[in-house]
């Protein structure tokens, strides 16, 4: 079999998936259909938002499905009509058995972690938030239990001490696209091998909600620093800044810097202004705030923030 004979349906929604779809198209694989989320209203103007994958598919004249229900008979009938040999799933939603069992060569997923670690919706965030020094990508065949199928390929990258989740996301996105192509090639040339995931220890990586992003200033400075890195630039860690006037101001924190200055005996969340620097007392040391976004304003460096605001404590 050559790559133009292999009929592929691609499932995905965000930018992370587009890189792999683009690699398949540029390398002339036969992508006969793309499945992505339905358009949705978003933003203050309630404009209809198309997924990143849909916009790419339109630009490259690919056949698009946007099913509301993945078990819909109409959708299943249309999907079968494509007579696909292989499904590829990247950053989509959980597929029902009727879908992932459909193609004769199976359905594989690209997951942004070193499985079995970080099963779930937010593996990149959780790895950085937990202060891990490495992560990676895994391709594996789908089975019913989420992120548990037999592994095909796995590759690692280092997480540098000051990387944020955006940095790691982009490196994994490019590495993952290369590995998707290599995985397809191994299927075509018959060299594919799989390995069952080890039983036992794994870390969950559940979806992140707003309250998960709130900073707990009683934690250690390194924990808070990693929390900020793991949520920057999106969805962003946040806190309530209390100004000298007593006005509360919800603010996002995008970048911090560790110090070795102890704040023993100081109430957690207390602020110290040192010239153009803003430091906050954590459970052990002072932590410097480098980038902040007050509600209703643009992201700014701390120096600019201190020109217009007079903060006294963070909660």
């Amino acid at each position: 079999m050559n790559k133009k004979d292999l009929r592929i349906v691609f499932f995905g929604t965000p930018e992370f998936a587009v890189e792999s779809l683009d690699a398949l198209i540029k390398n002339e694989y036969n992508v006969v259909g793309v499945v992505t989320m339905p358009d949705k209203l978003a933003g203050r103007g309630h404009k209809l938002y198309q997924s990143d994958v849909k916009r790419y598919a339109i630009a490259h004249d690919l056949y698009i499905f946007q099913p509301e229900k993945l078990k819909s008979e109409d959708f299943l009938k249309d999907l079968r009509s494509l007579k696909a040999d292989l499904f590829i799933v990247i950053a989509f939603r959980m597929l029902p058995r009727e879908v992932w069992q459909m193609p004769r060569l199976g359905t594989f997923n690209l997951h942004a972690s070193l499985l079995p670690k970080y099963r779930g919706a937010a593996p990149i965030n959780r790895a950085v938030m937990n202060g891990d020094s490495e992560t990676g990508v895994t391709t594996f065949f789908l089975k019913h239990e989420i992120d548990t199928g037999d592994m095909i390929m796995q590759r690692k990258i280092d997480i540098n001490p000051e990387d944020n989740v955006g940095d790691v996301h982009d490196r994994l996105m490019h590495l993952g696209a290369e590995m998707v192509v290599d995985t397809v090639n191994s299927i075509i040339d018959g060299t594919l091998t799989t390995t069952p995931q080890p039983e036992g220890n794994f870390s969950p990586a559940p979806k992140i909600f707003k309250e998960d992003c709130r900073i707990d200033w009683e934690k250690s400075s390194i924990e808070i620093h990693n929390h900020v890195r793991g949520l920057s630039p999106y969805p962003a860690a946040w806190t309530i800044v209390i100004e000298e006037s007593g006005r509360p101001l919800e603010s996002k924190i995008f970048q911090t810097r560790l110090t070795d200055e102890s704040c023993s005996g100081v109430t957690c969340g207390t602020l110290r202004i040192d010239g153009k620097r803003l430091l906050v007392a954590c459970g052990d040391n002072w932590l410097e705030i480098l980038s902040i976004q007050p509600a209703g304003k643009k992201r700014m460096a701390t120096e600019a923030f201190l020109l217009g605001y007079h903060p006294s404590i963070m909660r």
Side-chain angles (χ1 to χ4, degrees):
M1 177 187 295
N2 63 53
K3 62 186 179 183
K4 292 188 177 179
D5 291 331
L6 182 72
R7 297 174 64 83
I8 297 170
V9 174
F10 185 92
F11 294 71
T13 295
E15 178 191 11
F16 189 87
V18 171
E19 188 75 14
S20 292
L21 179 56
D22 183 54
L24 293 168
I25 297 301
K26 285 180 176 175
N27 285 281
E28 299 183 341
Y29 292 88
N30 186 18
V31 178
V32 297
V34 169
V35 185
T36 191
M37 296 288 281
D39 298 347
K40 61 181 181 181
L41 296 174
R44 293 182 179 179
H46 294 286
K47 294 180 180 179
L48 204 58
Y49 170 81
Q50 296 177 337
S51 75
D52 294 322
V53 164
K54 181 179 179 180
R55 291 197 297 273
Y56 180 92
I58 290 171
H60 292 79
D61 200 27
L62 300 175
Y63 193 64
I64 301 168
F65 294 99
Q66 292 182 277
E68 291 283 351
K69 296 181 179 179
L70 295 174
K71 291 185 178 182
S72 149
E73 282 303 322
D74 288 341
F75 169 62
L76 293 174
K77 180 181 177 181
D78 289 341
L79 200 55
R80 289 190 196 100
S81 73
L82 295 180
K83 298 180 180 178
D85 302 299
L86 177 70
F87 290 170
I88 300 174
V89 183
I90 304 175
F92 194 59
R93 47 182 163 155
M94 189 173 179
L95 296 184
R97 187 183 299 270
E98 297 94 319
V99 174
W100 59 261
Q101 282 190 335
M102 193 179 293
R104 67 181 184 87
L105 295 176
T107 299
F108 80 79
N109 178 267
L110 172 70
H111 187 71
S113 83
L114 298 172
L115 287 173
K117 197 169 187 180
Y118 296 121
R119 292 172 177 162
I124 309 177
N125 297 91
R126 299 292 180 181
V128 181
M129 291 167 76
N130 289 340
D132 291 2
S133 60
E134 68 175 16
T135 186
V137 283
T138 308
T139 51
F140 68 97
F141 281 113
L142 288 193
K143 58 188 286 189
H144 184 65
E145 296 82 8
I146 189 167
D147 297 338
T148 60
D150 290 350
M151 298 184 295
I152 306 167
M153 294 182 182
Q154 192 168 80
R155 290 174 190 165
K156 297 180 181 181
I157 64 166
D158 291 333
I159 301 177
N160 301 315
E162 297 306 317
D163 280 341
N164 65 27
V165 73
D167 300 324
V168 179
H169 169 280
D170 290 353
R171 295 208 299 276
L172 291 180
M173 181 173 68
H174 297 301
L175 181 64
E178 294 172 4
M179 199 168 70
V180 164
V181 170
D182 290 345
T183 300
V184 174
N185 286 340
S186 74
I187 293 171
I188 291 171
D189 62 25
T191 60
L192 178 141
T193 59
T194 60
T195 305
Q197 292 189 35
E199 297 292 335
N201 293 334
F202 74 93
S203 303
K207 183 177 179 179
I208 292 174
F209 297 95
K210 181 177 179 180
E211 200 54 38
D212 299 321
C213 300
R214 186 164 189 174
I215 298 170
D216 179 357
W217 296 108
E218 294 189 0
K219 290 187 175 181
S220 70
S221 57
I222 185 65
E223 287 178 297
I224 295 169
H225 179 67
N226 290 338
H227 182 81
V228 171
R229 291 193 305 128
L231 295 168
S232 179
Y234 181 83
W238 64 277
T239 188
I240 301 295
V241 178
I242 308 297
E243 293 201 85
E244 289 178 353
S245 65
R247 179 176 70 133
L249 185 68
E250 185 174 312
S251 301
K252 294 179 179 179
I253 307 294
F254 292 96
Q255 188 178 7
T256 57
R257 179 186 291 144
L258 293 167
T259 79
D260 57 5
E261 301 175 65
S262 172
C263 57
S264 177
V266 180
T267 301
C268 294
T270 298
L271 297 179
R272 189 182 100 209
I273 298 173
D274 183 2
K276 297 177 181 179
R277 300 173 69 207
L278 177 64
L279 299 103
V280 57
C282 304
D284 53 0
N285 291 342
W286 292 96
L287 182 69
E288 184 175 0
I289 307 298
L290 299 179
S291 179
I292 188 170
Q293 182 179 6
K297 302 293 183 181
K298 293 182 179 180
R299 176 177 173 174
M300 63 186 77
T302 298
E303 180 180 349
F305 173 73
L306 292 175
L307 291 175
Y309 297 89
H310 301 89
S312 63
I313 195 167
M314 291 185 176
R315 291 179 179 165

